[in-house]
Amino acid sequence: MGVDLPGPRGTLRPLLAFNADPVGCLRRWHAEFGDVVGLRIASIQLVSLRGADDVAAVLLDRQQAFVKDAFTRGLSRVLGQGLLTSEGAHWRGRRKLIAPTLRRSHIRHYAEVFVAHARRWVERVEGEVDLHHEMMGLTLGIVAEGLFAAEQAADVDRVGALVEQIMAAHIQTERSWQMVLPAWLPLSPKWRIDRAAAGVTALIDRLIAERRSRPPGDDLLWRLLEARGEGGHALDAEGLRDESATLFLAGHETTALALTFAVELLGRHPDAMGRLRAEVAALGDRLPTADDMPALAWTAAVIKEAMRLYPPAWVIGRESVKPVAIGEHTLPAGATVLVPIDAMHRDPARFPDPGVFRPERWLDGAPRGRWDYLPFGGGARVCVGNHFALMEAVLVLATMVRGARFELLRPTPPRLMASITLRPVDGLPVRVTRTPAGAAGCE
Ligand code: HEM
């Protein structure tokens, strides 16, 4: 079922290289071989498609020919048949239920939660910290309060710890030979994932029970509890659990990474940081609100540029369910197709000087193709939390910069570790110093 595609020759050497550094490999292979890169690993045909038309074909025009790839499907060990991992009519029904609560028009009321959490963070944190770890805690707290109206901080922390364990086990699975072995083998990382997943399930059941016992609200969990499907049926316990786990996991680490990399890049580009401080100061002696979004254009450009250089979701995976023509090639059924978001964002044909941090490129009005910049994916399965995430990142960054200064304790750019997300190896050590606005407590 092979198809002859440009790409690295041999099997073992490219496989080892890809396992060790998938981000670097895709960057290099696309630079060397062009928009289409093929790789065969045992019986697996891997195809990475960087060209705009090919990406559009996979994510939109010919999406019926694809399902999520085996790696993403593997997440159903944790997420069940939630929005991220389900397919077909089941997925469509859930998307209809959840998308309205995260629309641009609806997320304004989350703005206060974003700013309140960032403000408390500024008041609490000073000295040398791992900013990646801090941002994970901050965004987890925001999801817990904004989407789940959760009151038990200890439970939320525990979910965070379990998510860490799941990610660590995934990294271990992916970075070893276990990646190419069938999922039914009782390998220890997968066993650990199942155990952590059971812990997440128990905690989420508790959050749901606790939420039921309190008055109605506008949070997403309440809406899920109230939602009725086509036949007037409520979501059953399993459905509630799957969607809650999905939103917990999908909804915090990615945004935490966007914030972490933004602070890292600002630390290495004092001019950009100066302009951000000036923008925030121009708001006056008060905290930012949803209405300030248009005035925070530079802050938004910094976040967008950070997600271009370090896309938290660095690759999107699909699997073809039937033979499908993409450009001049026909891919067989069962091919694993990658949309290499990171390599697309560093393609010089899309972004001049692609390795350079230049937030201005988001403000200069230069024409940009729909399939050139995809931090949130595209097509029917585009990130359902994209507006939520962008507003969250902008308001949190503005509030942090208003109240504190950040000094990088490691002068070199971060080494990257790619698992489901793209993370800085060893986190991001920074020294946080409160400024007068932060020390006074933001009003
Ligand atoms: C900077 C932050 C974020 C990034 C970079 C990001 C990225 C992505 C990407 C690339 C996809 C598409 C995956 C695919 O096509 O296979 C996706 C899907 C998804 N995201 Fe996000 N995301 C972010 C924040 C959020 C937030 C805040 C939430 C929840 C509030 C969320 C919930 C989801 C869900 C549920 C899906 C699956 C949607 C579906 O298949 O219908 N994400 N995200």
Side-chain angles (χ1 to χ4, degrees):
M1 68 144 193
V3 52
D4 199 22
L5 299 170
R9 291 297 134 216
T11 303
L12 189 57
R13 194 193 286 253
L15 169 62
L16 290 176
F18 189 69
N19 255 342
D21 178 16
V23 175
C25 278
L26 287 181
R27 282 183 196 169
R28 276 198 307 281
W29 291 341
H30 278 295
E32 186 177 346
F33 300 107
D35 281 341
V36 178
V37 171
L39 184 67
R40 284 191 70 82
I41 301 172
S43 61
I44 301 171
Q45 171 80 62
L46 205 69
V47 186
S48 182
L49 299 168
R50 185 181 62 167
D53 291 347
D54 293 350
V55 171
V58 174
L59 296 182
L60 187 63
D61 306 333
R62 255 151 277 162
Q63 51 163 314
Q64 311 290 6
F66 296 96
V67 291
K68 298 252 171 155
D69 64 315
F71 184 76
T72 309
R73 292 200 304 271
L75 289 175
S76 58
R77 292 169 98 86
V78 189
L79 307 179
Q81 289 302 301
L83 200 52
L84 191 71
T85 37
S86 57
E87 303 282 351
H90 179 94
W91 166 77
R92 252 189 310 281
R94 294 290 173 82
R95 179 98 189 184
K96 263 199 204 145
L97 213 61
I98 291 169
T101 59
L102 292 168
R103 282 214 184 100
R104 205 194 297 259
S105 53
H106 189 80
I107 54 162
R108 286 179 56 86
H109 83 264
Y110 296 124
E112 280 177 27
V113 178
F114 302 154
V115 173
H117 278 256
R119 167 197 158 172
R120 284 203 293 275
W121 184 85
V122 167
E123 286 170 2
R124 184 176 55 80
V125 175
E126 206 164 19
E128 294 184 8
V129 297
D130 170 6
L131 198 81
H132 176 225
H133 178 77
E134 292 295 327
M135 292 299 98
M136 293 278 275
L138 178 55
T139 54
L140 187 68
I142 285 174
V143 168
E145 186 185 335
L147 302 186
F148 295 91
E151 286 181 335
Q152 300 297 328
D155 280 357
V156 174
D157 287 350
R158 184 88 191 104
V159 172
L162 289 170
V163 170
E164 283 289 322
Q165 284 174 23
I166 290 168
M167 292 295 177
H170 256 285
I171 291 165
Q172 196 182 333
T173 315
E174 193 193 8
R175 295 189 127 209
S176 71
W177 284 95
Q178 293 154 0
M179 175 189 166
V180 293
L181 296 175
W184 45 261
L185 279 179
L187 295 168
S188 62
K190 287 178 180 162
W191 179 79
R192 278 212 303 283
I193 291 172
D194 286 347
R195 211 171 45 157
V200 171
T201 301
L203 285 167
I204 286 176
D205 280 352
R206 231 169 40 224
L207 285 177
I208 292 172
E210 192 238 331
R211 184 66 194 90
R212 277 191 205 279
S213 70
R214 283 186 290 113
D218 211 11
D219 50 289
L220 190 130
L221 180 54
W222 185 257
R223 285 169 166 250
L224 288 180
L225 288 169
E226 288 290 284
R228 295 293 173 269
E230 271 164 20
H233 304 297
L235 267 183
D236 61 13
E238 199 178 337
L240 272 173
R241 220 185 277 141
D242 291 352
E243 297 308 347
S244 305
T246 297
L247 291 162
F248 248 115
L249 298 205
H252 86 286
E253 202 210 340
T254 40
T255 318
L257 285 165
L259 284 160
T260 303
F261 285 121
V263 169
E264 201 276 336
L265 287 159
L266 287 167
R268 282 192 283 125
H269 297 85
D271 289 355
M273 179 58 112
R275 193 164 164 184
L276 204 156
R277 285 196 183 288
E279 185 170 87
V280 173
L283 298 180
D285 190 19
R286 61 175 179 81
L287 290 162
T289 67
D291 290 334
D292 293 319
M293 285 298 286
L296 292 170
W298 179 257
T299 312
V302 165
I303 293 289
K304 284 184 194 162
E305 185 69 343
M307 290 198 295
R308 184 184 69 79
L309 284 167
Y310 300 113
W314 64 282
V315 70
I316 289 177
R318 294 287 187 268
E319 188 178 302
S320 52
V321 288
K322 54 185 174 190
V324 53
I326 302 281
E328 59 196 53
H329 304 286
T330 298
L331 307 183
T336 297
V337 175
L338 304 180
V339 175
I341 298 179
D342 171 83
M344 289 164 61
H345 289 183
R346 286 173 180 260
D347 175 9
R350 287 172 161 101
F351 297 97
D353 301 325
V356 178
F357 174 68
R358 193 182 290 154
E360 291 88 343
R361 62 174 103 228
W362 299 102
L363 302 173
D364 61 11
R368 187 146 290 125
R370 177 175 171 195
W371 303 98
D372 286 346
Y373 175 69
L374 296 184
F376 296 110
R381 307 289 304 239
V382 68
C383 175
V384 77
N386 55 356
H387 300 303
F388 181 100
L390 207 55
M391 185 188 269
E392 177 184 2
V394 168
L395 292 182
V396 167
L397 184 60
T399 307
M400 284 167 55
V401 167
R402 178 180 182 273
R405 293 192 175 274
F406 302 90
E407 184 194 339
L408 300 184
L409 296 174
R410 193 179 52 205
T412 48
R415 283 192 301 126
L416 302 176
M417 180 168 68
S419 140
I420 303 167
T421 52
L422 193 61
R423 293 168 153 207
V425 176
D426 301 328
L428 183 68
V430 297
R431 182 176 297 116
V432 182
T433 314
R434 231 170 272 147
T435 59
C442 314
E443 73 279 14

